[in-house]
Amino acid sequence: MKLASTSTALLAFVSATWITNVATTNPNPLQNGCLINMLPAEKKWEKMRVCNSDDLKVSEDQRQCLTTALSSYYEEVRISIQYWDTPTYEAWVAQILLSELLGVPTTIEANKPDVNMNFYNSENNFAIGSIFGEGEGDYGQWQHLARGGEIGDCTKANRDYENYEPCSNFVPEFWNYDDILKKMNAEELIEPYQFLGAEGLEGWFIPKFTALQDPALLSYLGLQNKNRKLAETFLQPVAWKEYCDIYSDSNCGSEDSTAIRQPKDDSENNRFFVEGLYKGFFRPFDDNDCLNKNCTGHIVDYPCGWGGFTEAQAYHLNIALESKGSALSNGYETSQMKEIWRAANATRSNVMMIYYNTDSIFEEFMGSDFEFMKVALPSPSEECFDARISIADRCSESLEVRRGDKLGVCDQTSTKLKKLLGSKLRNEDSPPAVKSPAYDALTNFRISEFQLTQLQRKVRTKDSEREAVCEWVVEHLDKLSEFIPRTFPRTIEPLEGYKYKGLHFFSVIFSSIAAVLMVLTAAMVHIYREKKAVKYAQTEFLHLLLFGAFSVCIGCIILAANTNDQTSASCLAAQWLINLGYTVELSATIVKVAAIIKLMNAAKKFRKVTLVRSHLFTTVFIIFLAAALYMLLWTLLDPYKKADEYFLKGGKNDQDETIVNLQHYCSSTSSAWIYISIAWRVVLLFATTVLTVQMRGIHENVDESLTLSVMIYSHVVFLLLSLIIVFLKDSIDNQLIAYTVTIVYCLDSIAAVLIYFIPKFLPSNKQWDWMVSTKDGGPVSNISSLKSKNPSSYIPTSHNSSNDP
């Protein structure tokens, strides 16, 4: 029965007959939630529902909802309603489930820009959906679902009236899995369809009242070739205005047994029944001529694109029934079809109608003498289904095409009602702790035929559809709770204390010890500044190296100490100190080693060489400046700042919500910045390594290649460790990464001190002594004594090791 595709003319008809605000406009008493208002007091439900995108259109002080930390992570779910009433009720149940039990922002898509059918709308209105989202396009009536499958977040769709873009992620009820839906599934715009739980049955129906008078009418065999009988039994319904204009003696100027008054406007002209105002009226066809067997009875049919095969079935089965509605193919709107049935009941008239059993009118007359009784048509078969005309052909202008093949006129089979989920509802990229439960909840969502009947009965007996749906939800809350995925609902609570308490204190203390060690080593360098091993290693460069290592340690202290209270400022400070610290440390080593190599190579060739200390420091500064510019670019374009991380601790609060703990860490949007900073250190280490290898050829007492090689080796090892940690960041807790990196960087600095500095403070024998300036002027007395101003020049002479003291 449900539409899959049809012509542009049908779209125009549906747009023209759009039903909105069936109920009078009055405030919705359930705007802040169903459960908070209607759940019994002993349940102690105090939570308002979460806000959705429609709530954000009003000022914050007027909103009757809450925005939670988790709801800002959950992508809004938009549920599409169809052009009959039960999908709206089902959509509201799903909206309550998501918005109130699970905290997921949810809205309703009616496929029209001027209709708000959210359960929490400020107006207590009711409307059914439109057939189409927009034109037919590539996806026909499913354009809204295709858009949701493409963009995922329907809040990104255009909601302006003129450029409205229907969008949805979930369809709670549909009947026919047509070619368009198959195409959408193949394109991964939707998930494979799932069953809703109830079964739908479509067919021809007569009232029990009629069947009791003539049971033969319950089978097509009792309808075939019975022109006069059908013409006399099933009369044509008359709309209110037509009755007043043609059949009322007073043109409804005065009250009669059928109408109290005239219809007041166009909205009432085509009504077939209005409780207390218009009872309904039935008449024979004007052109009936039963004497010549040219007469027919009336059957209430859908518009051609809605489904059913009434015209073809009546023709090929020789059943003299015809629809005379004003819609396409002489069909009737859904609301008119319901009114005709009620009018037949009120006037005790016979009526034949094609309809479906999931509509609320079925429940309305259940158990009465006007309940729906199905007419048996030829048994369904695969051959019949294959021979049926397409939905598009049902709207053809050609009578021959509309009638189709006589093999395709069998009865309908019962249909398991289906639901559709957009593929983006899976949201697989979200962190597990804050992943939306919407996909799993809607996958679990079920409504049986019995429950649907109960829901329809509620709607019929209550003044408000929203009140009826909410009351049904309260009565079936235990059943709805079964749809809630495990570990949901959830709530966010800040982490109390430290997730890795022992590791936290160890990393802070260890970083502090490393920083103190750098200070003590600097003090030792100053104390032993006249010691040959220290003096000829250039104390200024040793202090630079220690200053760089000290900066790294301070950065590590900031990183480790603030793991629970991380701020963007502390994140930036730590990253600047660590990266610039390493730059100073390694660039000082590079410049120092390069200077020694230059001096010793000149000495070998007995050439005069002049080194200016300020030039060497300038080189260090230039390297430092390059690193600082990179850090500035990083900070401006993609700052290393505070980010949130959520994880499941496993506990629950007093409201039975699973606790999601919040902790902070430092991060940039792109990981490339971290990799580039590591690559920069690799370049500096590579340059240092090359120079150290070249240093091996100079005088053994000046040769620091062994200690430098070991120090560089340790730098490389720790650099590889930090690189591995960075590569594993997606599978390791961010706080654990911060602590581990802190320990690795500090170990790197401590190892450098132990390898390179400590040996210089130990008692020495002959190393460096050959460079001592003697009374008679040693040959290379100031080989490493670089002048800051007016540097002296010298011509190194050959040196005989036998003259060593």
Side-chain angles (χ1 to χ4, degrees):
M1 164 259 174
K2 306 301 171 247
L3 178 68
S5 169
T6 189
S7 64
T8 305
L10 179 57
L11 172 61
F13 161 72
V14 171
S15 300
T17 58
W18 169 256
I19 304 171
T20 62
N21 299 336
V22 173
T24 56
T25 55
N26 60 302
N28 176 11
L30 304 175
Q31 291 180 58
N32 62 341
C34 162
L35 301 179
I36 196 173
N37 286 288
M38 297 192 70
L39 206 63
E42 59 269 20
K43 296 288 186 178
K44 295 182 180 179
W45 191 274
E46 300 176 351
K47 294 187 301 181
M48 286 197 294
R49 50 94 182 184
V50 297
C51 298
N52 56 56
S53 59
D54 287 340
D55 294 308
L56 304 182
K57 297 174 183 178
V58 300
S59 59
E60 190 170 351
D61 60 331
Q62 293 180 322
R63 296 174 194 165
Q64 300 191 44
C65 58
L66 294 175
T67 299
T68 66
L70 273 176
S71 67
S72 62
Y73 271 90
Y74 294 161
E75 201 167 83
E76 181 173 287
V77 175
R78 189 159 294 167
I79 304 174
S80 175
I81 58 177
Q82 301 280 51
Y83 53 94
W84 61 102
D85 54 5
T86 50
T88 301
Y89 308 145
E90 294 155 356
W92 280 352
V93 173
Q95 189 174 24
I96 294 170
L97 168 67
L98 293 177
S99 298
E100 300 186 39
L101 293 176
L102 290 170
V104 179
T106 311
T107 52
I108 303 297
E109 176 61 78
N111 299 331
K112 290 294 263 185
D114 55 349
V115 176
N116 185 334
M117 276 309 297
N118 286 330
F119 181 84
Y120 312 106
N121 185 28
S122 58
E123 293 282 343
N124 196 13
N125 63 328
F126 184 78
I128 60 174
S130 170
I131 290 182
F132 296 105
E134 57 173 37
E136 296 191 38
D138 293 334
Y139 302 105
Q141 66 158 335
W142 302 112
Q143 188 65 41
H144 57 90
L145 193 59
R147 181 172 288 108
E150 290 169 354
I151 66 177
D153 182 4
C154 283
T155 61
K156 298 176 182 177
N158 195 326
R159 308 295 283 177
D160 296 339
Y161 187 89
E162 296 297 330
N163 302 302
Y164 185 73
E165 294 178 335
C167 179
S168 70
N169 312 109
F170 178 59
V171 176
E173 179 188 326
F174 80 102
W175 289 51
N176 298 324
Y177 191 65
D178 57 35
D179 292 338
I180 295 177
L181 291 177
K182 293 175 183 177
K183 173 185 176 184
M184 291 169 63
N185 183 35
E187 295 174 358
E188 298 185 349
L189 295 174
I190 59 172
E191 298 283 303
Y193 69 80
Q194 302 171 13
F195 294 117
L196 177 63
E199 286 195 6
L201 182 63
E202 183 183 58
W204 293 10
F205 292 91
I206 60 174
K208 183 178 181 181
F209 163 82
T210 301
L212 289 173
Q213 297 178 50
D214 188 354
L217 297 177
L218 287 173
S219 170
Y220 76 97
L221 296 175
L223 302 175
Q224 289 178 316
N225 303 310
K226 299 291 191 296
N227 297 48
R228 179 185 291 274
K229 177 180 178 179
L230 297 182
E232 293 174 350
T233 304
F234 300 109
L235 305 181
Q236 179 180 355
V238 176
W240 192 353
K241 183 173 180 8
E242 182 185 355
Y243 169 78
C244 292
D245 291 346
I246 300 175
Y247 301 102
S248 171
D249 293 335
S250 64
N251 296 116
C252 298
S254 60
E255 179 180 341
D256 61 24
S257 60
T258 301
I260 302 299
R261 59 168 174 81
Q262 291 184 342
K264 61 183 180 180
D265 54 35
D266 289 343
S267 66
E268 293 184 343
N269 287 344
N270 292 320
R271 301 287 297 274
F272 288 88
F273 176 82
V274 179
E275 185 71 43
L277 295 176
Y278 179 57
K279 190 176 181 180
F281 187 79
F282 293 81
R283 66 171 179 84
F285 286 157
D286 293 331
D287 54 356
N288 272 352
D289 181 8
C290 292
L291 291 176
N292 296 313
K293 295 186 178 182
N294 184 24
C295 60
T296 58
H298 184 269
I299 183 170
V300 182
D301 194 9
Y302 306 131
C304 62
W306 286 28
F309 307 88
T310 306
E311 187 175 15
Q313 289 169 325
Y315 173 75
H316 289 294
L317 293 174
N318 294 317
I319 298 174
L321 291 172
E322 184 179 357
S323 182
K324 290 287 188 176
S326 58
L328 296 177
S329 71
N330 298 319
Y332 294 85
E333 304 169 28
T334 303
S335 60
Q336 292 176 327
M337 297 173 82
K338 293 181 181 182
E339 289 172 358
I340 292 170
W341 195 271
R342 293 186 181 110
N345 176 55
T347 59
R348 311 313 288 171
S349 302
N350 300 304
V351 64
M352 175 85 75
M353 184 165 76
I354 179 172
Y355 215 62
Y356 53 100
N357 69 334
T358 61
D359 192 276
S360 58
I361 196 170
F362 260 70
E363 189 282 326
E364 181 179 334
F365 289 96
M366 192 175 292
S368 73
D369 67 349
F370 235 76
E371 68 177 313
F372 285 71
M373 304 292 292
K374 190 174 184 305
V375 175
L377 297 177
S379 299
S381 65
E382 186 174 353
E383 181 184 27
C384 171
F385 283 10
D386 291 341
R388 281 180 169 172
I389 60 174
S390 67
I391 293 178
D393 286 345
R394 295 175 214 173
C395 292
S396 172
E397 295 181 0
S398 169
L399 181 61
E400 183 179 355
V401 171
R402 294 201 307 270
R403 288 173 174 173
D405 192 327
K406 66 179 180 179
L407 295 177
V409 295
C410 60
D411 209 345
Q412 297 279 58
T413 58
S414 61
T415 301
K416 288 186 176 181
L417 301 186
K418 307 169 187 68
K419 57 184 178 181
L420 287 172
L421 284 75
S423 57
K424 292 292 178 68
L425 270 182
R426 284 185 177 273
N427 207 11
E428 294 177 339
D429 296 333
S430 294
V434 292
K435 185 176 181 179
S436 171
Y439 178 83
D440 291 332
L442 294 176
T443 296
N444 297 336
F445 185 73
R446 295 283 190 278
I447 291 184
S448 68
E449 292 170 60
F450 178 68
Q451 291 168 337
L452 196 55
T453 299
Q454 288 180 314
L455 180 54
Q456 291 168 337
R457 184 176 295 120
K458 286 280 185 189
V459 172
R460 180 172 59 85
T461 56
K462 295 294 179 180
D463 294 333
S464 163
E465 292 87 357
R466 285 178 174 81
E467 179 188 355
V469 170
C470 183
E471 189 172 300
W472 184 91
V473 166
V474 169
E475 292 175 359
H476 294 79
L477 192 57
D478 290 342
K479 182 65 178 178
L480 284 181
S481 298
E482 295 177 5
F483 305 150
I484 297 176
R486 192 174 63 86
T487 75
F488 287 93
R490 296 175 178 177
T491 186
I492 292 179
E493 293 183 7
L495 180 66
E496 295 182 3
Y498 295 95
K499 187 177 180 182
Y500 305 99
K501 189 174 182 180
L503 192 57
H504 168 78
F505 288 110
F506 175 79
S507 60
V508 172
I509 293 171
F510 188 71
S511 301
S512 302
I513 291 172
V516 170
L517 180 61
M518 299 306 114
V519 174
L520 292 177
T521 304
M524 292 289 290
V525 168
H526 180 73
I527 293 171
Y528 288 96
R529 62 186 180 277
E530 295 300 327
K531 191 176 187 301
K532 301 179 188 68
V534 175
K535 183 175 183 179
Y536 294 117
Q538 295 300 309
T539 57
E540 295 90 341
F541 285 96
L542 295 180
H543 281 304
L544 273 179
L545 193 151
L546 288 169
F547 175 76
F550 177 74
S551 297
V552 172
C553 293
I554 295 299
C556 290
I557 292 173
I558 295 173
L559 193 61
N562 294 288
T563 48
N564 266 22
D565 303 305
Q566 206 68 261
T567 65
S568 294
S570 63
C571 291
L572 281 173
Q575 200 60 246
W576 275 74
L577 287 168
I578 291 172
N579 282 301
L580 295 184
Y582 267 116
T583 298
V584 170
E585 179 183 351
L586 295 175
S587 62
T589 305
I590 290 171
V591 171
K592 172 183 174 279
V593 173
I596 292 175
I597 291 173
K598 185 175 183 179
L599 285 173
M600 297 312 300
N601 286 338
K604 286 181 180 180
K605 300 177 181 179
F606 297 95
R607 295 175 60 182
K608 181 178 180 179
V609 65
T610 301
L611 294 176
V612 182
R613 179 180 283 106
S614 62
H615 291 174
L616 300 181
F617 284 118
T618 299
T619 304
V620 173
F621 177 74
I622 291 174
I623 298 174
F624 173 85
L625 184 61
L629 288 174
Y630 170 74
M631 291 303 300
L632 180 62
L633 189 66
W634 182 356
T635 302
L636 293 176
L637 297 181
D638 187 10
Y640 198 66
K641 60 185 179 181
K642 168 185 171 181
D644 296 333
E645 180 179 29
Y646 300 94
F647 62 93
L648 288 173
K649 194 175 182 179
K652 292 194 173 186
N653 61 14
D654 54 3
Q655 295 181 333
D656 202 35
E657 296 173 322
T658 301
I659 296 173
V660 175
N661 284 126
L662 166 64
Q663 65 183 20
H664 305 297
Y665 68 101
C666 299
S667 177
S668 290
T669 304
S670 173
S671 300
W673 301 100
I674 291 287
Y675 292 128
I676 292 173
S677 66
I678 293 176
W680 171 250
R681 273 189 276 160
V682 170
V683 170
L684 294 178
L685 280 173
F686 179 76
T688 308
T689 303
V690 171
L691 292 173
T692 301
V693 171
Q694 294 179 14
M695 196 177 184
R696 296 176 61 187
I698 65 175
H699 196 285
E700 62 180 357
N701 289 320
V702 183
D703 184 5
E704 290 186 295
S705 61
L706 178 60
T707 54
L708 283 173
S709 296
V710 175
M711 183 179 74
I712 292 169
Y713 176 76
S714 73
H715 277 317
V716 171
V717 170
F718 289 115
L719 180 64
L720 289 175
L721 286 175
S722 63
L723 190 59
I724 291 172
I725 294 170
V726 170
F727 276 128
L728 295 176
K729 69 181 180 64
D730 291 333
S731 56
I732 300 179
D733 183 275
N734 285 294
Q735 281 199 4
L736 188 59
I737 289 178
Y739 294 137
T740 308
V741 166
T742 293
I743 295 170
V744 168
Y745 287 167
C746 290
L747 278 174
D748 192 7
S749 298
I750 292 172
V753 168
L754 294 176
I755 294 169
Y756 186 68
F757 284 88
I758 298 302
K760 298 186 185 303
F761 304 140
L762 299 176
S764 61
N765 43 33
K766 293 185 178 182
Q767 189 179 17
W768 304 101
D769 291 345
W770 74 283
M771 298 174 65
V772 176
S773 177
T774 60
K775 292 182 180 180
D776 57 350
V780 286
S781 60
N782 66 345
I783 188 171
S784 291
S785 182
L786 305 178
K787 305 299 181 181
S788 60
K789 293 181 181 180
N790 300 319
S792 59
S793 300
Y794 62 89
I795 304 176
T797 59
S798 63
H799 176 70
N800 190 331
S801 61
S802 63
N803 293 330
D804 288 350

